[in-house]
Amino acid sequence: MRARPRPAARLPLSSAMWLGQREGLADRFRVITPDLRGFGGSVLGADEPSVDAMADDVARLFRRLGVPRAVVCGLSMGGYVAMALCRRHPELVLGVVLCATRASADGDAVRETRLRQAERLEREGGVGVLVDEVLPHLVGPTTLRQRALIYGRVRGLVQATPAPAAAWAQRAMAARPDSFDTLRELKVPALVMVGSEDVLATEDEAREMADALPNAELLVIQRAGHLCPVEQPDLFNQAVAEFATAVARLAN
């Protein structure tokens, strides 16, 4: 019997996905939720696809807003960007939350899937490939069974994704380097999170990242798939709040 191939794609969404964090954490923290290139209100530009370019965008935003250092949280592709930010702009990072992501580079099969999806996005000019191939893996079975409103919201976010930005992002992810050396050299505290029902970023991969980090905790969020902050916002917000508070206390 042949093993079923593991789903490969991750999908960047606009900052609208962080609504539960903006509402749940804003009374205690300054919450900044940028749109990565081409998503939401941001401009895609003409640069070559690269997670480093996105990390540099975030660094410029920090400086424009007068943010000297921050606890940086990245989910899925945002985790790749957060690790690039740690590598390229470590002076801006007070602590890092890596959720539903992985530090390894793509293998050949995954890279080929990303590039095929990018080509289809560019050719068709719509996001049908994302709805067909990516959406089914973004939330866990518990959400599918019990949280119809959340699944509907996620589907709406996917359908609102600009095809050129999604294609650019898939190419950027396909080209990203391995980030384990970045994690091993990290000087700030880290929190690694993963959903217990995530099929895109596994608990084993999250544990591997936590083991590579000099100062990290691992949290598995139960009854959540890939989009932990959307599926279990209260649990996610509580973990981030406790982590950010501890990091701020150490920094003072």
Side-chain angles (χ1 to χ4, degrees):
M1 179 181 294
R2 293 182 62 186
R4 184 178 180 181
R6 176 182 167 185
R10 281 149 170 79
L11 174 68
L13 300 172
S14 76
S15 63
M17 68 166 292
W18 296 106
L19 176 62
Q21 285 61 58
R22 291 199 296 263
E23 292 179 342
L25 295 172
D27 61 335
R28 299 177 59 184
F29 306 96
R30 183 182 182 184
V31 181
I32 301 169
T33 55
D35 281 315
L36 296 177
R37 285 189 173 221
F39 294 86
S42 67
V43 176
L44 181 57
D47 292 329
E48 287 295 313
S50 165
V51 295
D52 287 352
M54 290 185 274
D56 292 346
D57 291 341
V58 174
R60 281 190 288 271
L61 176 64
F62 276 24
R63 293 178 176 122
R64 187 167 71 247
L65 296 177
V67 177
R69 299 181 76 194
V71 173
V72 177
C73 176
L75 168 72
S76 192
M77 187 185 79
Y80 307 152
V81 177
M83 286 182 273
L85 188 73
C86 290
R87 182 173 62 251
R88 296 172 66 82
H89 305 279
E91 73 283 359
L92 298 177
V93 182
L94 188 63
V96 63
V97 179
L98 300 172
C99 183
T101 191
R102 65 165 96 113
S104 58
D106 284 344
D108 291 342
V110 175
R111 188 177 300 110
E112 289 171 5
T113 296
R114 293 196 196 281
L115 296 178
R116 175 183 57 79
Q117 291 177 344
E119 290 170 1
R120 184 175 164 188
L121 285 160
E122 291 169 340
R123 182 175 65 251
E124 298 178 1
V127 293
V129 63
L130 303 181
V131 174
D132 294 342
E133 298 185 19
V134 180
L135 175 61
H137 307 296
L138 289 183
V139 300
T142 299
T143 296
L144 287 173
R145 289 194 309 267
Q146 302 177 6
R147 308 173 185 131
L149 291 177
I150 289 178
Y151 178 74
R153 179 179 168 227
V154 171
R155 183 182 181 90
L157 289 170
V158 172
Q159 291 173 324
T161 301
W168 192 96
Q170 291 288 19
R171 294 187 187 281
M173 288 187 280
R176 79 185 190 283
D178 183 282
S179 291
F180 274 106
D181 284 346
T182 298
L183 298 187
R184 295 185 187 101
E185 296 170 3
L186 197 66
K187 307 299 184 185
V188 298
L191 173 62
V192 180
M193 286 194 279
V194 66
S196 64
E197 300 175 354
D198 195 342
V199 297
L200 295 178
T202 67
E203 184 176 340
D204 286 345
E205 288 171 319
R207 194 173 304 279
E208 192 176 10
M209 293 171 63
D211 289 344
L213 286 155
N215 181 10
E217 298 179 20
L218 173 64
L219 175 63
V220 179
I221 299 183
Q222 300 300 316
R223 299 179 300 281
H226 196 58
L227 297 184
C228 299
V230 180
E231 298 177 75
Q232 292 279 26
D234 292 341
L235 294 176
F236 181 89
N237 290 355
Q238 179 181 352
V240 170
E242 291 175 359
F243 175 74
T245 298
V247 169
R249 189 179 300 121
L250 289 172
N252 292 332

